[in-house]
């Protein structure tokens, strides 16, 4: 149990430490991380935004159902999300992630941690926009929501500081 905690501690490192990492993740890796975290992300957004939204807000009324619906896509995204997390581990700690950390325990710990990392970037002043955005993407499969979120984050990251000062997404090459 000590090693999964060590890997998760890498996610808890100060943003300045993580931001020193020169590597960026691909669009596919970023989409996998977001898709993997969608169930926790949706529930975390509902919890964070509850004080700022009316009781009948879409997000508040539908967070649990959306989290349940996104879970199969989150499951499918886990292998690539896990490899991406392993890359962070190796980059931050200078050694490969131990094989025994490829476990359900790591997954159970990583999903809420990644969701929380993304959720805490939302200001209460933006909750009405988040509610409207969630309502608009709700009909889409989780994998599409993850891909759209990764693209939007890439566009929004004009200062190249990454998402939460941690996740730098590589800009795709023009086709």
């Amino acid at each position: 149990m000590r090693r999964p905690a060590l890997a998760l501690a890498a996610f808890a490192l100060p943003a300045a430490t993580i931001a020193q990492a020169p590597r960026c993740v691909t669009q596919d890796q970023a989409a996998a991380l977001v898709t993997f975290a969608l169930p926790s992300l949706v529930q975390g957004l509902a919890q964070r935004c509850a004080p700022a939204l009316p009781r009948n807000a879409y997000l508040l009324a539908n967070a649990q159902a959306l989290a349940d619906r996104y879970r199969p896509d989150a499951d499918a995204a886990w292998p690539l999300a896990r490899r991406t997390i392993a890359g962070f581990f190796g980059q931050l700690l200078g050694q490969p992630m131990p094989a025994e950390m490829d476990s359900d325990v790591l997954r159970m710990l990583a999903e809420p941690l990644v969701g929380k990392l993304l959720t805490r970037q939302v200001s209460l002043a933006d909750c009405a926009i988040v509610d409207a955005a969630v309502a608009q993407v709700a009909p889409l499969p989780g994998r599409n929501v993850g891909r759209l979120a990764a693209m939007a984050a890439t566009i929004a990251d004009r200062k190249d500081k990454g998402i939460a000062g941690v996740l730098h997404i590589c800009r795709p090459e023009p086709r």
Side-chain angles (χ1 to χ4, degrees), residues 56-81:
N56 64 344
Y58 185 87
L59 179 60
L60 301 181
N62 294 285
Q64 185 61 52
L66 285 171
D68 292 343
R69 192 165 61 77
Y70 290 150
R71 193 147 316 277
D73 283 331
D75 293 345
W78 170 239
L80 181 53

Side-chain angles (χ1 to χ4, degrees), residues 12-172:
L13 290 174
T17 302
I18 296 172
Q20 295 172 2
R23 182 177 169 268
C24 60
V25 298
T26 67
Q27 292 283 317
D28 287 344
Q29 290 171 316
L33 284 171
V34 173
T35 303
F36 164 66
L38 271 177
S40 290
L41 178 59
V42 169
Q43 291 174 319
L45 287 170
Q47 187 175 29
R48 177 158 179 82
C49 290
L53 293 173
R55 290 179 190 236
N56 64 344
Y58 185 87
L59 179 60
L60 301 181
N62 294 285
Q64 185 61 52
L66 285 171
D68 292 343
R69 192 165 61 77
Y70 290 150
R71 193 147 316 277
D73 283 331
D75 293 345
W78 170 239
L80 181 53
R82 188 232 170 260
R83 288 191 302 274
T84 304
I85 292 167
F88 283 130
F89 185 95
Q91 188 176 20
L92 295 171
L93 300 178
Q95 62 185 24
M97 191 162 71
E100 64 267 17
M101 290 181 64
D102 187 12
S103 69
D104 290 335
V105 172
L106 174 63
R107 182 177 174 179
M108 289 185 317
L109 295 172
E111 180 193 337
L113 192 60
V114 174
K116 187 173 186 169
L117 177 73
L118 297 172
T119 300
R120 73 178 184 197
Q121 300 307 305
V122 175
S123 164
L124 289 178
D126 293 328
C127 285
I129 295 168
V130 168
D131 182 57
V134 169
Q136 291 301 307
V137 300
L140 298 175
R143 66 185 174 280
N144 293 65
V145 175
R147 185 156 299 284
L148 282 170
M151 286 187 238
T154 303
I155 292 167
D157 187 17
R158 300 259 183 242
K159 295 180 182 177
D160 199 30
K161 292 184 180 179
I163 300 170
V166 176
L167 181 64
H168 294 271
I169 304 171
C170 305
R171 298 223 178 252

